[in-house]
Amino acid sequence: EKASLHEVLAGGAGVEDAIYPAPGGFDLVPSGTSLEGFMEANVGRFPDVVEALRARYDAVVIDTGAGVSQETVIPTGAADATILVSTPRVASVRDADKTMSVADRAGAPVGGIVLTKSGTGRSPPAERIAQFLDTDLLGHVPQDSAVPKSQDAGIPVVAYAPDSEAAT
């Protein structure tokens, strides 16, 4: 069994042991799913892992959760720029606003926002949310039943339903 980022951060594997091919010509280093792996991970090693990946790839995309925690602040500090990803819900937009503050303090300027589940409920248009956050709208992914189905199948939506609105 291949390693995950947790094993790399725990010192039990090299980053090359945790790289997996993904659809679309990308490689991926998953964080891992076990609580034990998370507990053993040393987030302080994260900048070294990013440097090892930068030496190997043209671009490195780091996916973190929103909020203020070591698991968000340290990866954000290792980034050149921050791309916000949010739903149009009020609580999510507030989290995106907090993440902007974390990114600013970490020296990883916000390069824009991508909205998911856009066009749902009574949410304002994607352009207005980007304007409210004072950042560029990089794109938006509409609400699409293919997304939860692809998640349940464990397959990215671009491979599971390549012609769906979300994949497009």
Side-chain angles (χ1 to χ4, degrees):
E1 184 176 312
K2 287 190 75 154
S4 72
L5 180 60
H6 289 159
E7 284 81 28
V8 175
L9 293 176
V15 71
E16 64 282 346
D17 299 322
I19 297 172
Y20 297 78
F26 295 91
D27 287 339
L28 155 67
V29 177
S31 64
T33 56
S34 76
L35 181 58
E36 182 179 291
F38 173 77
M39 298 299 288
E40 291 175 6
N42 175 357
V43 181
R45 294 181 183 192
F46 192 83
D48 293 335
V49 171
V50 172
E51 286 309 310
L53 292 169
R54 280 185 174 158
R56 192 176 178 139
Y57 295 96
D58 295 333
V60 177
V61 177
I62 304 165
D63 181 8
T64 71
V68 181
S69 69
Q70 253 195 333
E71 292 76 27
T72 302
V73 173
I74 290 174
T76 301
D80 295 325
T82 300
I83 303 299
L84 304 170
V85 178
S86 177
T87 69
R89 306 274 73 84
V90 171
S92 297
V93 173
R94 283 190 189 129
D95 281 345
D97 192 39
K98 289 179 204 168
T99 302
M100 289 180 79
S101 296
V102 169
D104 184 49
R105 289 183 183 196
V110 172
I113 187 166
V114 175
L115 288 166
T116 62
K117 299 182 182 179
S118 66
T120 57
R122 296 182 305 178
S123 61
E127 294 79 9
R128 190 161 353 138
I129 293 171
Q131 193 174 35
F132 168 77
L133 291 170
D134 193 25
T135 193
D136 293 331
L137 177 65
L138 301 177
H140 58 99
V141 180
Q143 175 77 18
D144 189 332
S145 63
V147 173
K149 291 175 184 172
S150 72
Q151 289 171 328
D152 289 346
I155 300 169
V157 72
V158 294
Y160 180 84
D163 296 327
S164 66
E165 285 187 54
T168 301

Tab-separated table of all heavy atoms in Angstrom, residues 1-28:
chain	number	residue	atom	x	y	z
A	1	GLU	N	0.846	-1.191	0.000
A	1	GLU	CA	0.000	0.000	0.000
A	1	GLU	C	0.881	1.240	0.000
A	1	GLU	O	1.848	1.330	0.739
A	1	GLU	CB	-0.901	-0.024	1.240
A	1	GLU	CG	-1.864	1.118	1.281
A	1	GLU	CD	-2.807	1.017	2.475
A	1	GLU	OE1	-3.355	-0.068	2.691
A	1	GLU	OE2	-2.966	2.035	3.147
A	2	LYS	N	0.516	2.201	-0.836
A	2	LYS	CA	1.286	3.440	-0.926
A	2	LYS	C	1.013	4.327	0.283
A	2	LYS	O	0.026	4.178	0.974
A	2	LYS	CB	0.937	4.177	-2.213
A	2	LYS	CG	1.534	3.502	-3.448
A	2	LYS	CD	1.379	4.353	-4.662
A	2	LYS	CE	2.372	5.484	-4.577
A	2	LYS	NZ	2.781	6.053	-5.835
A	3	ALA	N	1.896	5.248	0.490
A	3	ALA	CA	1.815	6.160	1.623
A	3	ALA	C	0.878	7.330	1.318
A	3	ALA	O	0.448	7.530	0.192
A	3	ALA	CB	3.211	6.671	1.941
A	4	SER	N	0.619	8.120	2.348
A	4	SER	CA	-0.130	9.363	2.206
A	4	SER	C	0.727	10.490	2.773
A	4	SER	O	1.808	10.255	3.323
A	4	SER	CB	-1.461	9.286	2.962
A	4	SER	OG	-1.222	9.334	4.366
A	5	LEU	N	0.240	11.706	2.667
A	5	LEU	CA	0.948	12.852	3.214
A	5	LEU	C	1.195	12.681	4.709
A	5	LEU	O	2.227	13.082	5.226
A	5	LEU	CB	0.166	14.142	2.940
A	5	LEU	CG	0.792	15.437	3.451
A	5	LEU	CD1	2.160	15.678	2.821
A	5	LEU	CD2	-0.144	16.607	3.193
A	6	HIS	N	0.249	12.048	5.409
A	6	HIS	CA	0.430	11.842	6.854
A	6	HIS	C	1.688	11.040	7.147
A	6	HIS	O	2.455	11.394	8.052
A	6	HIS	CB	-0.793	11.150	7.457
A	6	HIS	CG	-1.996	12.023	7.522
A	6	HIS	ND1	-3.264	11.519	7.630
A	6	HIS	CD2	-2.136	13.375	7.509
A	6	HIS	CE1	-4.125	12.513	7.677
A	6	HIS	NE2	-3.477	13.643	7.597
A	7	GLU	N	1.925	9.974	6.400
A	7	GLU	CA	3.134	9.171	6.620
A	7	GLU	C	4.393	9.963	6.276
A	7	GLU	O	5.419	9.836	6.945
A	7	GLU	CB	3.102	7.867	5.812
A	7	GLU	CG	2.188	6.783	6.378
A	7	GLU	CD	0.721	6.988	6.018
A	7	GLU	OE1	0.433	7.595	4.969
A	7	GLU	OE2	-0.141	6.559	6.806
A	8	VAL	N	4.305	10.785	5.237
A	8	VAL	CA	5.455	11.620	4.871
A	8	VAL	C	5.750	12.608	6.000
A	8	VAL	O	6.894	12.768	6.418
A	8	VAL	CB	5.193	12.365	3.537
A	8	VAL	CG1	6.334	13.319	3.222
A	8	VAL	CG2	4.993	11.368	2.394
A	9	LEU	N	4.709	13.251	6.527
A	9	LEU	CA	4.891	14.221	7.603
A	9	LEU	C	5.325	13.562	8.909
A	9	LEU	O	5.940	14.202	9.761
A	9	LEU	CB	3.618	15.039	7.823
A	9	LEU	CG	3.223	15.966	6.685
A	9	LEU	CD1	1.889	16.638	6.976
A	9	LEU	CD2	4.300	17.003	6.417
A	10	ALA	N	5.030	12.277	9.071
A	10	ALA	CA	5.457	11.538	10.268
A	10	ALA	C	6.881	11.016	10.120
A	10	ALA	O	7.453	10.482	11.067
A	10	ALA	CB	4.495	10.382	10.542
A	11	GLY	N	7.450	11.151	8.909
A	11	GLY	CA	8.814	10.690	8.680
A	11	GLY	C	8.912	9.224	8.310
A	11	GLY	O	10.006	8.684	8.206
A	12	GLY	N	7.773	8.576	8.064
A	12	GLY	CA	7.773	7.156	7.745
A	12	GLY	C	7.825	6.845	6.256
A	12	GLY	O	7.866	5.675	5.868
A	13	ALA	N	7.806	7.879	5.422
A	13	ALA	CA	7.838	7.672	3.965
A	13	ALA	C	8.385	8.938	3.311
A	13	ALA	O	8.291	10.032	3.870
A	13	ALA	CB	6.430	7.383	3.438
A	14	GLY	N	8.928	8.765	2.116
A	14	GLY	CA	9.363	9.910	1.327
A	14	GLY	C	8.213	10.417	0.495
A	14	GLY	O	7.259	9.674	0.228
A	15	VAL	N	8.293	11.663	0.065
A	15	VAL	CA	7.193	12.246	-0.706
A	15	VAL	C	6.932	11.454	-1.982
A	15	VAL	O	5.781	11.292	-2.403
A	15	VAL	CB	7.432	13.747	-0.986
A	15	VAL	CG1	8.537	13.961	-1.978
A	15	VAL	CG2	6.156	14.419	-1.443
A	16	GLU	N	7.982	10.898	-2.602
A	16	GLU	CA	7.783	10.131	-3.838
A	16	GLU	C	6.939	8.876	-3.607
A	16	GLU	O	6.310	8.370	-4.529
A	16	GLU	CB	9.132	9.770	-4.479
A	16	GLU	CG	10.009	8.861	-3.660
A	16	GLU	CD	10.766	9.552	-2.511
A	16	GLU	OE1	10.825	10.790	-2.479
A	16	GLU	OE2	11.279	8.829	-1.633
A	17	ASP	N	6.891	8.402	-2.349
A	17	ASP	CA	6.077	7.221	-2.013
A	17	ASP	C	4.595	7.546	-1.900
A	17	ASP	O	3.762	6.645	-1.793
A	17	ASP	CB	6.552	6.613	-0.684
A	17	ASP	CG	7.990	6.143	-0.737
A	17	ASP	OD1	8.397	5.605	-1.786
A	17	ASP	OD2	8.707	6.322	0.267
A	18	ALA	N	4.252	8.841	-1.876
A	18	ALA	CA	2.867	9.252	-1.657
A	18	ALA	C	2.253	9.938	-2.870
A	18	ALA	O	1.205	10.558	-2.767
A	18	ALA	CB	2.803	10.181	-0.442
A	19	ILE	N	2.893	9.818	-4.034
A	19	ILE	CA	2.389	10.471	-5.243
A	19	ILE	C	1.561	9.473	-6.060
A	19	ILE	O	2.016	8.373	-6.342
A	19	ILE	CB	3.561	11.020	-6.087
A	19	ILE	CG1	4.313	12.104	-5.304
A	19	ILE	CG2	3.053	11.560	-7.424
A	19	ILE	CD1	5.592	12.575	-5.970
A	20	TYR	N	0.344	9.884	-6.417
A	20	TYR	CA	-0.573	9.053	-7.191
A	20	TYR	C	-0.971	9.791	-8.465
A	20	TYR	O	-1.200	10.995	-8.431
A	20	TYR	CB	-1.866	8.790	-6.403
A	20	TYR	CG	-1.685	8.031	-5.118
A	20	TYR	CD1	-1.210	8.665	-3.973
A	20	TYR	CD2	-1.997	6.682	-5.038
A	20	TYR	CE1	-1.055	7.981	-2.782
A	20	TYR	CE2	-1.848	5.987	-3.851
A	20	TYR	CZ	-1.376	6.642	-2.729
A	20	TYR	OH	-1.228	5.960	-1.552
A	21	PRO	N	-1.109	9.085	-9.593
A	21	PRO	CA	-1.626	9.752	-10.799
A	21	PRO	C	-3.123	10.027	-10.650
A	21	PRO	O	-3.848	9.250	-10.033
A	21	PRO	CB	-1.357	8.738	-11.908
A	21	PRO	CG	-1.272	7.415	-11.213
A	21	PRO	CD	-0.775	7.686	-9.823
A	22	ALA	N	-3.585	11.150	-11.197
A	22	ALA	CA	-5.001	11.519	-11.139
A	22	ALA	C	-5.482	11.833	-12.552
A	22	ALA	O	-4.675	12.103	-13.443
A	22	ALA	CB	-5.177	12.729	-10.232
A	23	PRO	N	-6.795	11.803	-12.792
A	23	PRO	CA	-7.318	12.107	-14.123
A	23	PRO	C	-6.899	13.499	-14.583
A	23	PRO	O	-6.784	14.420	-13.783
A	23	PRO	CB	-8.842	12.047	-13.930
A	23	PRO	CG	-9.056	11.228	-12.712
A	23	PRO	CD	-7.849	11.453	-11.847
A	24	GLY	N	-6.651	13.638	-15.868
A	24	GLY	CA	-6.315	14.933	-16.430
A	24	GLY	C	-4.831	15.228	-16.474
A	24	GLY	O	-4.433	16.354	-16.720
A	25	GLY	N	-4.007	14.221	-16.215
A	25	GLY	CA	-2.565	14.421	-16.283
A	25	GLY	C	-1.961	15.061	-15.051
A	25	GLY	O	-0.885	15.639	-15.114
A	26	PHE	N	-2.637	14.974	-13.933
A	26	PHE	CA	-2.139	15.520	-12.675
A	26	PHE	C	-1.659	14.400	-11.779
A	26	PHE	O	-2.059	13.247	-11.936
A	26	PHE	CB	-3.260	16.266	-11.937
A	26	PHE	CG	-3.748	17.476	-12.661
A	26	PHE	CD1	-4.803	17.387	-13.554
A	26	PHE	CD2	-3.154	18.703	-12.456
A	26	PHE	CE1	-5.265	18.497	-14.229
A	26	PHE	CE2	-3.604	19.828	-13.129
A	26	PHE	CZ	-4.661	19.723	-14.013
A	27	ASP	N	-0.807	14.735	-10.835
A	27	ASP	CA	-0.451	13.828	-9.758
A	27	ASP	C	-1.034	14.403	-8.472
A	27	ASP	O	-1.299	15.598	-8.374
A	27	ASP	CB	1.069	13.689	-9.624
A	27	ASP	CG	1.673	12.858	-10.748
A	27	ASP	OD1	0.930	12.082	-11.383
A	27	ASP	OD2	2.882	12.982	-10.986
A	28	LEU	N	-1.184	13.533	-7.479
A	28	LEU	CA	-1.858	13.912	-6.252
A	28	LEU	C	-1.154	13.263	-5.079
A	28	LEU	O	-0.704	12.122	-5.175
A	28	LEU	CB	-3.300	13.441	-6.401
A	28	LEU	CG	-4.219	13.110	-5.280
A	28	LEU	CD1	-4.568	14.336	-4.480
A	28	LEU	CD2	-5.495	12.535	-5.866
